[in-house]
């Protein structure tokens, strides 16, 4: 039996690629990202550290590359409207979206 996977897309026009990651990884990262954003807006460059601090050591070991997974899930959450980039912010900041 294969492990359930979640298709993660990118919100950029012309980038139709899809990355499929295990459902438990997606759910763990998604939950941590939304928890971080319930505390307020955050710079994308700080998201990896904030997410990592909300995950267990065991999950972090099983996850693999935290930064890659955070980026991949964050992009899918943008596509879904759960998070959004704050326009005009440099560095990039994100906040909860309309759907969250």
């Amino acid at each position: 039996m294969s492990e359930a996977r979640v298709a993660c897309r990118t919100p950029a026009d012309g980038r139709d690629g899809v990355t499929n990651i295990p459902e438990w990884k997606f759910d763990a990262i998604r939950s941590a990202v939304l928890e971080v954003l319930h505390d307020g807006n955050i710079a994308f460059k700080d998201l990896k550290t904030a997410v990592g601090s909300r995950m267990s050591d065991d999950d972090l070991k099983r996850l693999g590359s935290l930064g890659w997974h955070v980026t991949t899930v964050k992009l899918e959450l943008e596509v879904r409207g759960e998070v959004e980039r704050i326009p005009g912010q440099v560095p990039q900041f994100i906040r909860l979206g309309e759907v969250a």
Side-chain angles (χ1 to χ4, degrees), residues 4-56:
R5 300 179 89 70
V6 175
C8 294
R9 302 157 294 167
T10 181
D13 290 336
R15 299 205 49 200
D16 298 326
V18 173
T19 301
N20 295 298
I21 64 172
E23 187 173 37
W24 79 265
K25 291 182 180 187
F26 179 84
D27 290 342
I29 298 290
R30 178 185 174 274
S31 293
V33 167
L34 295 177
E35 183 179 314
V36 166
L37 291 174
H38 279 290
D39 291 342
N41 304 340
I42 190 168
F44 175 64
K45 67 183 180 82
D46 298 327
L47 188 59
K48 174 184 151 186
T49 301
V51 165
S53 72
R54 286 166 169 80
M55 297 183 72
S56 72

Side-chain angles (χ1 to χ4, degrees), residues 25-89:
K25 291 182 180 187
F26 179 84
D27 290 342
I29 298 290
R30 178 185 174 274
S31 293
V33 167
L34 295 177
E35 183 179 314
V36 166
L37 291 174
H38 279 290
D39 291 342
N41 304 340
I42 190 168
F44 175 64
K45 67 183 180 82
D46 298 327
L47 188 59
K48 174 184 151 186
T49 301
V51 165
S53 72
R54 286 166 169 80
M55 297 183 72
S56 72
D57 289 340
D58 286 341
D59 280 349
L60 287 171
K61 287 177 190 173
R62 292 176 49 216
L63 189 63
S65 172
L66 178 62
W68 183 86
H69 284 91
V70 167
T71 299
T72 301
V73 171
K74 190 269 293 182
L75 290 171
E76 173 61 20
L77 296 179
E78 284 185 51
V79 170
R80 294 179 178 197
E82 292 185 70
V83 305
E84 62 186 14
R85 297 177 191 191
I86 300 174
Q89 294 285 311

